[in-house]
Amino acid sequence: MLTGLRSWATWDGDTLPTSARSGLGDSSPETSSPAPPLPGKAVASRASSPSREPVHKGQRRRDEQAWAPAIGDAGSRGPAGRGVQSPGRGAMAAEQDPEGRAAARPLLTDLYQVTMALGYWRAGRARDPAEFELFFRQCPFGGAFVLAAGLRDCVRFLRAFHLRDADVQFLASVLPPDTDPAFFEHLRALDCSGVTVRALPEGSLAFPGVPLLQVSGPLLVVQLLETPLLCLVSYASLIATNAARLRLIAGPEKRLLEMGLRRAQGPDGGLTASTYSYLGGFDGSSNMLAGQLRGVPVVGTLAHSFVTSFSGTEVPPDPMLAPAAGQGPRVDLATRVEAWLERVCAHLGLGVQDPHPGERAAFVAYALAFPRAFQGLLDTYSVRRSGLPNFLAVALALGELGYRAVGVRLDSGDLLQQAQEIRALFRTAAAQFQAPWLESVPIAVSNNIDEKELARLTQQGSEVDVIGIGTSVVTCPRQPSLGCVYKLVSVGGQPRMKLTEDPEKQTLPGSKAAFRLLGSDGSPLLDLLQLAEEPAPQAGQELRVWPRGAREACTVRPAHVEPLLRLWVQRGQLCEPLPSLAESRAFAQRSLSRLSPAHRRLELPAGYQVALSEQLWALVRRLSAGASG
């Protein structure tokens, strides 16, 4: 489970090359140069790069010169692949990014996206400018907030988007046999060089109806993006939110580890869960691939199978261990452990025959392999009569040589009570054997821990230091889906609105800007949606707004105003470096800390208000009346 608590606790880097400073916070991660421009493409200087603020009319400039490195992390791009140069436009980088292909392939979509694409093409509307919004309607888990996540995967997907010959051949096999071959040639030429994306930064607080992503570009292309973008954003945001709830329960001091890969919904679900549980506030994961690809700190030691594989008759091929300082004679660790066992058993009132010899042999073997990161799994046989005395004997033998055990783990029984009993025994043993470091050996627990059990394990006076959670974080049993939707809001510059028999499913028309209105203490008051052409609201300005679901308008005077949606991709080019995963994790924790306790409360929280500007409200009323008339 844990690898050297003292080593991993300080490792929060990103093994992928990290982006330049994002301006999201005050951390100081490593930085790297941006990705080079596409061949033959001019790149604006940093002085002419767009502001890091979102860009809407009155607040965003549609004609800004975007700083345009190829989409993707610096240094993370694969060899160059095929790209298609659209007339008058810069083609998106089409390098074969392994992570981009792994995140989602173009055919990871629903058939009706393709049938609609054929319909658009046949009607001569494939290149009509269109805009979609990706949002959710209700917060999950009975809470009042969501953490936005998945943007990095979306950008990787857009960068790698290209239909290969095999993809087009498959589409030809499922579409009607008389489909015009020119349509398939059109598909072969598709990429995302005409796509623009505005989005909440990863780790942002998000609320119902506020876009997580705004995606604009040619109608046929942005329609094809619907299913994969929903797939990439919905589960990532759900996992990040679930992890954030668990972190809020645990508090800032306990170490939370994600251990759910074996319980996840397939390999892709496992990688996503490990990545975004870290963004949501966990400290590490057992998932090695998440460490390799995403820079998530990886943790792990041994399972019960390792312990039970030893009988006690095994003889280590080399039982000798040198002192930690590197000076002095090597010592037979197994012999020293047997000597310490007699003293430990006498102290605990046990016979030397009580502790299981196979368990002890397993501990010795592990200590010889990891003398600086030794940890005992105590509950294979009996915590009190076997696991604890065997651990103490090995830990004290290592202590003679200058090594310090890094922890114990419990995986069954009453974890809270056992942790208290073990801590008490550590304290008496520390005094008995003059080993003060024993008092603070970390105690880790695991075993189907959910929100209720986590609250119990982290109550005041608990001796638990580290908590491993698997099933409850990766499967989100309280609510397995966030229910994001991707809806058309404009075509050809004209607003579009979905009117249904269910008012909750009605959409908000038009290209929009979003702002967070803050009180004098910096806490969010409400989120405001308005048409993109409206001037941005100003701090201190009295605003008349229409809260969603309310029958009357109200007035609000914010002390501060924050624009929410940032321009990340413009016509296929990355406008600013994406924050590293570690930066987004830190940003998420700062965002949560600003939320009022009433909204942060996990059970029966106060609902957070989202409101419409008067102009947007008037547009909704006009379109609704026109449809009914």
Side-chain angles (χ1 to χ4, degrees):
M1 193 195 81
L2 308 175
T3 190
L5 285 168
R6 293 178 184 145
S7 60
W8 69 258
T10 58
W11 176 28
D12 60 357
D14 192 335
T15 57
L16 291 173
T18 51
S19 60
R21 292 285 302 192
S22 69
L24 289 181
D26 53 10
S27 59
S28 55
E30 295 180 4
T31 59
S32 66
S33 301
L38 295 177
K41 302 298 292 181
V43 179
S45 68
R46 287 183 181 271
S48 63
S49 66
S51 167
R52 289 186 181 274
E53 296 301 320
V55 277
H56 288 274
K57 280 192 177 178
Q59 164 233 334
R60 81 183 184 196
R61 303 183 303 278
R62 296 188 181 277
D63 60 346
E64 71 259 86
Q65 178 91 28
W67 177 42
I71 286 186
D73 288 322
S76 67
R77 294 167 299 131
R82 291 194 305 175
V84 178
Q85 182 79 25
S86 301
R89 295 182 181 178
M92 169 171 281
E95 299 94 338
Q96 298 307 307
D97 175 4
E99 263 208 273
R101 297 294 296 180
R105 298 188 180 192
L107 291 196
L108 186 68
T109 191
D110 297 305
L111 176 59
Y112 80 165
Q113 309 293 3
V114 181
T115 61
M116 285 189 286
L118 176 56
Y120 291 141
W121 181 84
R122 186 68 179 81
R125 305 192 61 209
R127 293 185 174 86
D128 285 4
E131 182 170 337
F132 285 79
E133 291 180 349
L134 191 155
F135 59 94
F136 60 93
R137 295 188 175 108
Q138 291 184 335
C139 291
F141 314 119
F145 68 86
V146 161
L147 282 185
L151 177 62
R152 288 172 74 85
D153 289 334
C154 291
V155 171
R156 285 188 171 109
F157 168 69
L158 295 175
R159 173 177 172 250
F161 183 89
H162 180 77
L163 288 164
R164 299 178 176 182
D165 288 342
D167 299 329
V168 177
Q169 290 168 7
F170 176 76
L171 291 176
S173 73
V174 298
L175 289 175
D178 59 351
T179 301
D180 190 335
F183 173 65
F184 299 111
E185 292 307 309
H186 182 83
L187 294 182
R188 282 189 173 92
L190 290 181
D191 62 14
C192 288
S193 59
V195 173
T196 294
V197 176
R198 295 176 175 86
L200 296 177
E202 283 198 302
S204 297
L205 289 170
F207 302 100
V210 177
L212 302 178
L213 270 70
Q214 292 176 328
V215 184
S216 58
L219 177 59
L220 186 150
V221 174
V222 293
Q223 181 72 71
L224 286 175
L225 298 178
E226 174 180 0
T227 301
L229 292 182
L230 283 169
C231 184
L232 292 171
V233 171
S234 296
Y235 184 56
S237 299
L238 186 74
I239 287 289
T241 305
N242 194 29
R245 289 173 60 87
L246 294 167
R247 168 53 70 192
L248 288 172
I249 294 170
E253 302 302 324
K254 304 296 184 185
R255 309 294 289 177
L256 292 181
L257 307 179
E258 180 271 315
M259 302 164 54
L261 178 58
R262 65 190 62 191
R263 303 283 187 256
Q265 291 94 336
D268 293 339
L271 179 60
T272 300
S274 298
T275 301
Y276 293 105
S277 62
Y278 178 66
L279 184 148
F282 274 53
D283 296 291
S285 170
S286 64
N287 188 338
M288 293 292 288
L289 191 61
Q292 181 188 37
L293 295 181
R294 304 299 179 84
V296 177
V298 291
V299 292
T301 55
L302 70 161
H304 294 100
S305 58
F306 183 85
V307 176
T308 58
S309 74
F310 288 82
S311 66
T313 61
E314 298 82 4
V315 177
D318 182 9
M320 308 303 288
L321 185 64
Q327 298 178 348
R330 300 173 77 220
V331 172
D332 186 325
L333 182 64
T335 299
R336 292 305 304 149
V337 167
E338 293 301 322
W340 272 107
L341 184 66
E342 292 186 11
R343 298 177 64 184
V344 167
C345 287
H347 172 67
L348 297 177
L350 300 172
V352 292
Q353 74 283 357
D354 290 332
H356 196 289
E359 181 181 59
R360 188 161 60 255
F363 286 0
V364 169
Y366 200 84
L368 287 169
F370 299 98
R372 300 182 188 277
F374 171 64
Q375 180 185 158
L377 177 57
L378 302 188
D379 64 337
T380 303
Y381 299 110
S382 168
V383 174
R384 179 68 171 78
R385 297 179 63 82
S386 184
L388 184 60
N390 279 331
F391 168 79
L392 287 172
V394 176
L396 289 164
L398 286 172
E400 285 185 318
L401 296 173
Y403 300 100
R404 297 291 181 263
V406 299
V408 296
R409 178 162 72 100
L410 299 165
D411 191 51
S412 60
D414 188 327
L415 302 175
L416 180 65
Q417 179 179 339
Q418 288 183 97
Q420 292 170 333
E421 293 171 354
I422 289 169
R423 181 68 69 205
L425 290 170
F426 279 170
R427 291 185 178 120
T428 62
Q432 175 70 24
F433 302 119
Q434 298 182 1
W437 51 269
L438 264 179
E439 293 189 14
S440 57
V441 168
I443 298 174
V445 299
S446 55
N447 188 25
N448 293 322
I449 295 169
D450 57 14
E451 287 189 0
K452 182 178 179 181
E453 179 64 8
L454 180 62
R456 180 171 175 267
L457 292 171
T458 55
Q459 65 186 264
Q460 187 173 5
S462 170
E463 296 292 352
V464 173
D465 301 292
V466 184
I467 301 164
I469 305 178
T471 305
S472 291
V473 65
V474 305
T475 66
C476 302
R478 288 192 59 179
Q479 183 172 330
S481 174
L482 179 56
C484 288
V485 293
Y486 181 90
K487 298 300 180 182
L488 181 69
V489 296
S490 72
V491 176
Q494 297 301 309
R496 292 292 185 268
M497 180 179 180
K498 175 185 175 183
L499 292 170
T500 71
E501 300 300 324
D502 185 350
E504 290 187 0
K505 289 194 170 185
Q506 292 182 359
T507 60
L508 296 175
S511 181
K512 292 180 281 295
F515 299 88
R516 184 153 293 155
L517 309 186
L518 308 173
S520 58
D521 61 352
S523 63
L525 300 175
L526 61 82
D527 283 6
L528 176 65
L529 298 175
Q530 64 177 51
L531 296 174
E533 60 265 23
E534 296 184 60
Q538 301 298 315
Q541 175 187 4
E542 184 174 277
L543 304 169
R544 191 167 186 264
V545 300
W546 290 83
R548 299 200 69 182
R551 294 179 178 272
E552 301 291 338
C554 66
T555 58
V556 60
R557 189 187 300 273
H560 308 280
V561 176
E562 289 183 352
L564 294 178
L565 298 166
R566 290 166 65 158
L567 179 65
W568 296 100
V569 177
Q570 186 173 44
R571 292 180 177 255
Q573 300 294 329
L574 189 65
C575 297
E576 62 173 296
L578 289 167
S580 71
L581 184 60
E583 288 177 305
S584 296
R585 178 180 184 271
F587 178 59
Q589 295 307 304
R590 290 195 299 273
S591 298
L592 285 167
S593 70
R594 296 172 60 192
L595 195 60
S596 72
H599 295 128
R600 198 166 57 234
R601 192 168 59 234
L602 302 185
E603 300 296 335
L604 301 176
Y608 184 83
Q609 189 63 65
V610 175
L612 311 184
S613 69
E614 286 205 277
Q615 288 190 39
L616 179 55
W617 172 256
L619 177 62
V620 170
R621 294 292 299 273
R622 178 168 60 82
L623 293 181
S624 298
S628 61

